[in-house]
Amino acid sequence: VEISTCCGNFHNVKEFAKRLISVFGSIPSEQSYSLVGFATNASFVSNLMPLSADALSSLDSLAYSGGRTNHAAAISSCQQTFSNPDDAVERKNMIILITDGNPTEPRDEKSATKESIAAANQVKEAGSILIPVMLTTSSIDNKTADYMTEISSDEEFLNASLYALDSVEESLLSKVFCEE
């Protein structure tokens, strides 16, 4: 992928995530956010924290790292941020997995898909909600659609063009409100 294409897409996804967090923040409820960036590896950008300027600025610190796509590590890392023994608050845990491709890490696409499905199943068994969002520049194939459906908590996923991220915002908000 050409660096101008990938990094422009990455910037658009970060801006989309900031808008989502801001919109969620306008909902009158107690909310916390954690951010996990992923490519070949997953890394914590921020642990669970209330919405604040810090939550939004932590997105700005997220840098494009290139590499492969490791959904399993991203999903597991997100779930890990919910596991705070000091946090006795009963809450609904939700993971919004925003990706632009099929899992390709670790090893190969077949094993990566299998590991991602296993990670998604663990998250769902723990009671968390997983909403996958596939951002593409073209239509997706049946194999990708089947995979995204399988990792989803409700067997549905959102698919949007990287060039029209606003189109998915309303759909995602209605899914989030329906899950509450």
Side-chain angles (χ1 to χ4, degrees):
V1 175
E2 203 174 290
I3 195 83
S4 61
T5 303
C6 69
C7 297
N9 292 346
F10 181 73
H11 173 75
N12 291 341
V13 171
K14 279 183 16 177
E15 291 305 310
F16 171 69
K18 281 198 238 179
R19 277 197 326 269
L20 276 181
I21 291 172
S22 294
V23 170
F24 290 156
S26 68
I27 301 166
S29 66
E30 259 188 66
Q31 303 172 40
S32 297
Y33 299 88
S34 59
L35 301 170
V36 174
F38 69 96
T40 301
N41 299 303
S43 59
F44 294 104
V45 177
S46 72
N47 284 314
L48 216 51
M49 70 170 107
L51 178 64
S52 65
D54 290 341
L56 292 172
S57 68
S58 62
L59 264 170
D60 287 328
S61 71
L62 191 59
Y64 179 73
S65 64
R68 297 168 55 87
T69 305
N70 194 337
H71 290 175
I75 292 167
S76 296
S77 294
C78 286
Q79 183 65 27
Q80 230 181 330
T81 68
F82 301 143
S83 304
N84 181 353
D86 299 328
D87 188 6
V89 175
E90 187 73 26
R91 67 171 180 261
K92 180 70 73 175
N93 293 325
M94 186 175 297
I95 297 170
I96 301 172
L97 178 74
I98 303 173
T99 186
D100 65 353
N102 289 327
T104 55
E105 182 71 26
R107 295 177 299 283
D108 57 68
E109 189 171 336
K110 186 176 181 178
S111 63
T113 298
K114 188 182 273 189
E115 288 188 33
S116 298
I117 291 168
N121 287 338
Q122 288 178 338
V123 160
K124 293 183 278 188
E125 287 169 12
S128 295
I129 297 165
L130 177 58
I131 302 172
V133 179
M134 176 62 84
L135 303 176
T136 62
T137 55
S138 60
S139 62
I140 62 171
D141 59 35
N142 289 339
K143 185 173 110 180
T144 300
D146 290 345
Y147 162 73
M148 296 296 278
T149 300
E150 187 165 355
I151 65 169
S152 172
S153 292
D154 65 359
E155 299 182 348
E156 294 181 2
F157 69 97
L158 299 174
N159 182 26
S161 167
L162 273 164
Y163 306 117
L165 294 177
D166 292 340
S167 68
V168 77
E169 188 174 315
E170 191 173 312
S171 297
L172 186 54
L173 286 172
S174 69
K175 279 183 94 46
V176 167
F177 286 129
C178 289
E179 297 292 348
E180 288 189 33

